[in-house]
Amino acid sequence: MKITSHNASHNSLFQNIERVRRRRGKVRERNITLAHGSGGKAMQDLIDDIFVDTFDNPILSQLEDQASFNIASLMEHGDKLALTTDSYVVDPLFFPGSDIGELAINGTVNDLAVSGAKPLYLTCSVILEEGFSVETLRRVATSMKSAAKKAGVQIVTGDTKVVHRGAADKLFINTTGIGIIRPDVCISANNIQPGDAVIINGELGNHGAAILIARGELALETDIESDCQPLHDLVKTILDICPEVRAMRDATRGGLATVVNEFALSSNVGIRLKEECIPVCEEVKGVCEILGLDPLYLANEGKLVVVVGSKNAETVLAAMHSHPFGKNARIIGEVISSPTGVVLLKTSFGSDRILDMLVGEQLPRIC
Amino acid sequence: MKITSHNASHNSLFQNIERVRRRRGKVRERNITLAHGSGGKAMQDLIDDIFVDTFDNPILSQLEDQASFNIASLMEHGDKLALTTDSYVVDPLFFPGSDIGELAINGTVNDLAVSGAKPLYLTCSVILEEGFSVETLRRVATSMKSAAKKAGVQIVTGDTKVVHRGAADKLFINTTGIGIIRPDVCISANNIQPGDAVIINGELGNHGAAILIARGELALETDIESDCQPLHDLVKTILDICPEVRAMRDATRGGLATVVNEFALSSNVGIRLKEECIPVCEEVKGVCEILGLDPLYLANEGKLVVVVGSKNAETVLAAMHSHPFGKNARIIGEVISSPTGVVLLKTSFGSDRILDMLVGEQLPRIC
């Protein structure tokens, strides 16, 4: 009697084991539930199905709670490591020319690139609102994969959190990246000297204007697309010809005006830009005119401001022109010894006006 | 006439320069506005005042868009780099025993530590809801600083985003960390072998229960506090005596049950835990009984599951007992060759039941 009972119990245990094994698989739900952030089975399925399968690389596939890799073999004597982080909260998630996924890759790749680093590895941490579409998440992950491939980086570890409906707006993504800076490069906002030239790689304001239009709150139709693009290769082109670049920063939130103000403050110099040299396309000018916005404060996602010694300016400009993401590069101004910490804009009327940092908020959630 | 006008214009320009310079300073607002995420002046003040002043380290103070540092000088031949990321969405932000700031440091430190890495550098990216209290943010940053100091890590770069009221719940924090793994350590969920011992460093479920009580939705009063603590030093103690640890993972979301299931699946082994050996304090047992929760699925923030070869089990246990965060360590089970991919729990009645992965969601936003 006792033995029979024991066998029965064992049989049912084995049946349960089979049942548990069979349950492991793909995401079947159409919408994200709180269970997808629980740490349990639903989350594991989501991670496997959406992220691991899409990002597809051997480090991530190990599914440890951290990536580990040999970095020394990628470094030479004197190399430094660069580390940068950004959370992306752009609204809407998809907009002309790009989407939050591509943005989350290029934004972090560019923050690495402008330090002179070769971007290598990225992390991806998502905060999902309960009810978010699984298919949309898959679309975002696919976009991230494609952007990572273009930028030559691998997404090697990640995290998934789910919050109640209404506790977050759809989807936020954090990416953090590491890269390697070669020893002969020392780029810093503190290095700028009077006489240096200020160069931009193309037209300003397209990303900010595209987001604004995409929100659909304005009855405007334009062909403006976000300039979202990875800048690592353009930076490489610049550094190959001129490793002694003084300062470089991508003009994202706060636009060109914010970057040049940061430069002027950090190096305690003045900067004078020439309005007539700053490239802004006609459509962006039109949108700004209608809405009373200044394109110099609009966000970009593929524009960098480069400061080089005047003797290198033409060489760097020519190198930038040879690259598809720098073909509209222009020298837009020069560094002056005074007034310090201030940016002046020589207007087309010939007078100087102060180009201050952005005060207030032009346009929230553009990245 | 022309000269006078020119002078007047210049005088007013210089007055404007002084006015612009004077405006630079501290955060004066009591609540976060969209301008604090604009990339402009308000954001710079927020970053300077709250984060740079509080976190206070030379890499962060450079205020570049990325941290850069010499990692090679910290590494020896054969060392690997560990990289991990986590977003923290815990609700409420403050709870008995800890808060989101300390959690955001310890959580990421622990994910590095359980790979055997010495944690070194962290990033900090915050998503703020418009209207969030500046003082509360300062309190969280101070808590992060204090936790970082205890864990021996530096917060070297960050990011600040602000979303409209209602587009996020108060505050989310992402931290991403890097650390160095010594060459003689190779910890992986794939390494586990039949006969290995499974060890836990103390009582389970306190963090999850503390959060649940702190939400105040239940008319329960207890003394339960979160176990939030950094595990890097305990891990060092373990590895100093036994570098050949097979697998180690902190039992956060999904609790002990989830970690051991991940182990069983990754190494294609079975694991049998003994219920009577698993430490759970009386108060947590009480809360679980009242609410119908299982403490084996409750989150922890200072508990790690260690798997070692049976011959090392007692040595490792003794080493853990010598450390304040391991003094209640217990051997709680063993690895078996079959059934593979499944965890069995030997109940106090002497029968085996399957301890499955968490299906569904016990308790959202516990980390």
Side-chain angles (χ1 to χ4, degrees):
Chain A
M1 176 67 181
K2 209 178 172 189
I3 290 167
T4 316
S5 157
H6 192 244
N7 276 346
S9 152
H10 256 253
N11 280 339
S12 117
L13 182 67
F14 288 133
Q15 281 162 11
N16 283 340
I17 289 170
E18 282 312 306
R19 191 178 47 78
V20 165
R21 283 182 177 148
R22 268 201 305 277
R23 271 217 314 274
R24 293 179 174 135
K26 296 260 168 183
V27 177
R28 273 180 297 249
E29 298 83 1
R30 292 181 59 181
N31 296 90
I32 295 293
T33 67
L34 291 172
H36 287 118
S38 66
K41 184 183 149 33
M43 189 173 97
Q44 201 175 63
D45 288 346
L46 184 78
I47 291 171
D48 281 352
D49 189 7
I50 306 282
F51 296 111
V52 178
D53 281 4
T54 305
F55 296 162
D56 183 28
N57 68 69
I59 302 177
L60 180 65
S61 301
Q62 286 170 25
L63 278 183
E64 303 286 351
D65 285 346
Q66 65 298 114
S68 66
F69 41 82
N70 185 336
I71 193 92
S73 66
L74 304 173
M75 297 177 82
E76 293 185 26
H77 182 72
D79 281 352
K80 282 189 296 184
L81 206 67
L83 175 67
T84 192
T85 187
D86 254 316
S87 291
Y88 299 86
V89 299
V90 66
D91 176 42
L93 300 178
F94 298 86
F95 45 87
S98 192
D99 60 75
I100 190 172
E102 187 183 35
L103 190 66
I105 300 298
N106 288 346
T108 294
V109 161
N110 291 348
D111 276 346
L112 290 171
V114 294
S115 73
K118 177 181 162 65
L120 290 175
Y121 297 116
L122 261 56
T123 66
C124 165
S125 175
V126 298
I127 299 174
L128 295 158
E129 183 184 12
E130 180 191 11
F132 188 68
S133 150
V134 171
E135 255 332 286
T136 308
L137 183 62
R138 199 186 296 276
R139 210 177 132 199
V140 170
T142 305
S143 175
M144 292 183 81
K145 164 66 181 177
S146 153
K149 195 174 172 196
K150 279 184 201 158
V153 295
Q154 290 183 63
I155 304 163
V156 292
T157 190
D159 176 51
T160 307
K161 292 288 188 312
V162 180
V163 297
H164 284 104
R165 205 179 288 265
D169 186 12
K170 303 183 286 284
L171 167 66
F172 302 146
I173 303 178
N174 176 282
T175 54
T176 300
I178 63 173
I180 292 176
I181 306 175
R182 41 189 260 203
D184 60 340
V185 168
C186 178
I187 297 171
S188 165
N190 301 313
N191 288 345
I192 298 168
Q193 295 171 21
D196 288 354
V198 182
I199 308 176
I200 188 88
N201 66 317
E203 289 166 340
L204 291 167
N206 295 48
H207 176 75
I211 296 288
L212 193 61
I213 305 293
R215 289 200 187 141
E217 294 157 14
L218 310 158
L220 282 174
E221 278 190 33
T222 73
D223 296 327
I224 300 170
E225 290 199 340
S226 166
D227 61 341
C228 185
Q229 58 193 9
L231 295 170
H232 66 296
D233 196 57
L234 175 61
V235 170
K236 184 177 180 304
T237 302
I238 295 170
L239 292 178
D240 281 349
I241 205 131
C242 177
E244 59 270 31
V245 163
R246 306 245 212 249
M248 189 149 56
R249 204 163 267 188
D250 53 337
T252 55
R253 272 186 294 177
L256 170 68
T258 297
V259 170
V260 284
N261 268 283
E262 288 167 357
F263 283 171
L265 275 174
S266 295
S267 287
N268 203 33
V269 293
I271 291 177
R272 178 180 276 125
L273 301 182
K274 286 186 192 158
E275 194 172 40
E276 62 185 18
C277 297
I278 300 173
V280 180
C281 78
E282 289 307 316
E283 284 211 285
V284 171
K285 274 185 197 161
V287 168
C288 285
E289 214 158 279
I290 292 167
L291 301 173
L293 296 172
D294 185 338
L296 303 191
Y297 293 96
L298 280 186
N300 311 279
E301 288 297 344
K303 292 296 151 5
L304 52 76
V305 190
V306 191
V307 182
V308 294
S310 59
K311 70 176 169 55
N312 295 318
E314 289 300 331
T315 324
V316 167
L317 194 65
M320 290 173 77
H321 286 158
S322 75
H323 194 282
F325 296 162
K327 61 179 189 292
N328 296 321
R330 303 277 296 266
I331 297 176
I332 57 171
E334 59 167 348
V335 179
I336 52 182
S337 55
S338 78
T340 57
V342 173
V343 178
L344 301 176
L345 184 73
K346 194 167 218 39
T347 67
S348 37
F349 303 114
S351 61
D352 278 333
R353 71 171 177 90
I354 294 174
L355 188 67
D356 197 3
M357 295 205 81
L358 180 59
V359 178
E361 172 59 280
Q362 277 214 132
L363 195 59
R365 295 183 68 186
I366 38 69
C367 62
Chain B
M1 176 68 181
K2 209 178 171 185
I3 290 165
T4 316
S5 154
H6 191 242
N7 276 346
S9 150
H10 256 252
N11 281 340
S12 112
L13 181 66
F14 288 134
Q15 281 163 13
N16 283 340
I17 288 170
E18 282 313 306
R19 191 177 49 76
V20 165
R21 282 182 179 147
R22 270 200 305 276
R23 271 216 313 273
R24 291 175 177 140
K26 296 258 168 183
V27 177
R28 275 179 297 249
E29 298 83 2
R30 291 180 58 181
N31 296 91
I32 295 294
T33 68
L34 291 173
H36 288 117
S38 67
K41 186 185 148 29
M43 189 173 97
Q44 203 174 61
D45 289 346
L46 184 78
I47 291 171
D48 281 352
D49 189 8
I50 306 280
F51 296 110
V52 178
D53 282 5
T54 307
F55 295 162
D56 183 29
N57 69 68
I59 301 176
L60 180 65
S61 302
Q62 287 171 23
L63 278 182
E64 303 286 351
D65 285 347
Q66 63 299 115
S68 66
F69 41 81
N70 186 336
I71 192 93
S73 65
L74 304 172
M75 296 178 81
E76 293 185 25
H77 182 72
D79 280 353
K80 281 189 295 181
L81 206 66
L83 174 67
T84 191
T85 188
D86 253 316
S87 290
Y88 299 87
V89 299
V90 66
D91 177 41
L93 301 178
F94 299 86
F95 45 87
S98 192
D99 60 75
I100 189 172
E102 187 183 37
L103 189 66
I105 301 297
N106 288 346
T108 294
V109 161
N110 291 348
D111 276 345
L112 290 172
V114 295
S115 73
K118 176 181 163 61
L120 289 175
Y121 298 116
L122 260 57
T123 66
C124 165
S125 176
V126 297
I127 298 174
L128 295 157
E129 184 184 11
E130 181 191 10
F132 187 68
S133 151
V134 171
E135 257 330 288
T136 308
L137 183 62
R138 200 186 295 279
R139 212 175 131 200
V140 170
T142 305
S143 173
M144 291 183 81
K145 163 68 181 176
S146 153
K149 196 176 171 193
K150 279 184 204 159
V153 296
Q154 291 183 62
I155 304 163
V156 291
T157 190
D159 177 49
T160 308
K161 291 290 189 309
V162 180
V163 297
H164 284 105
R165 206 179 286 266
D169 186 12
K170 304 183 285 287
L171 167 66
F172 302 147
I173 302 178
N174 176 282
T175 54
T176 300
I178 62 174
I180 292 176
I181 306 174
R182 40 190 262 205
D184 59 340
V185 168
C186 178
I187 297 171
S188 164
N190 300 313
N191 289 345
I192 298 167
Q193 294 171 22
D196 288 354
V198 182
I199 308 177
I200 189 88
N201 67 316
E203 289 167 340
L204 291 168
N206 295 49
H207 175 76
I211 296 287
L212 193 61
I213 305 292
R215 290 201 186 141
E217 293 157 13
L218 310 158
L220 282 176
E221 276 188 37
T222 73
D223 297 325
I224 300 171
E225 291 199 339
S226 167
D227 61 340
C228 186
Q229 57 193 12
L231 295 171
H232 66 296
D233 195 58
L234 175 61
V235 170
K236 185 177 178 304
T237 302
I238 295 169
L239 292 179
D240 281 349
I241 203 130
C242 178
E244 59 271 30
V245 162
R246 305 242 213 251
M248 187 149 56
R249 203 162 269 188
D250 53 337
T252 55
R253 271 185 295 177
L256 168 70
T258 297
V259 171
V260 285
N261 267 283
E262 288 167 356
F263 283 171
L265 273 174
S266 294
S267 287
N268 203 32
V269 293
I271 291 177
R272 177 181 277 125
L273 301 183
K274 286 185 192 159
E275 194 172 41
E276 62 187 18
C277 298
I278 300 173
V280 180
C281 79
E282 288 307 318
E283 284 210 283
V284 170
K285 274 186 197 160
V287 168
C288 285
E289 213 158 281
I290 292 168
L291 302 173
L293 296 172
D294 185 336
L296 303 190
Y297 293 96
L298 279 187
N300 312 278
E301 287 297 341
K303 293 295 153 359
L304 51 76
V305 190
V306 191
V307 182
V308 294
S310 58
K311 71 176 168 56
N312 295 318
E314 289 300 332
T315 324
V316 166
L317 194 65
M320 291 173 77
H321 286 158
S322 75
H323 193 282
F325 296 163
K327 62 180 189 292
N328 296 321
R330 303 277 296 266
I331 296 175
I332 56 171
E334 60 166 346
V335 179
I336 52 182
S337 56
S338 79
T340 58
V342 173
V343 178
L344 301 177
L345 184 72
K346 194 165 216 49
T347 67
S348 37
F349 304 113
S351 61
D352 278 333
R353 72 171 175 92
I354 294 174
L355 188 67
D356 198 2
M357 296 206 81
L358 179 60
V359 177
E361 171 60 281
Q362 276 213 137
L363 195 60
R365 295 183 66 186
I366 37 72
C367 62

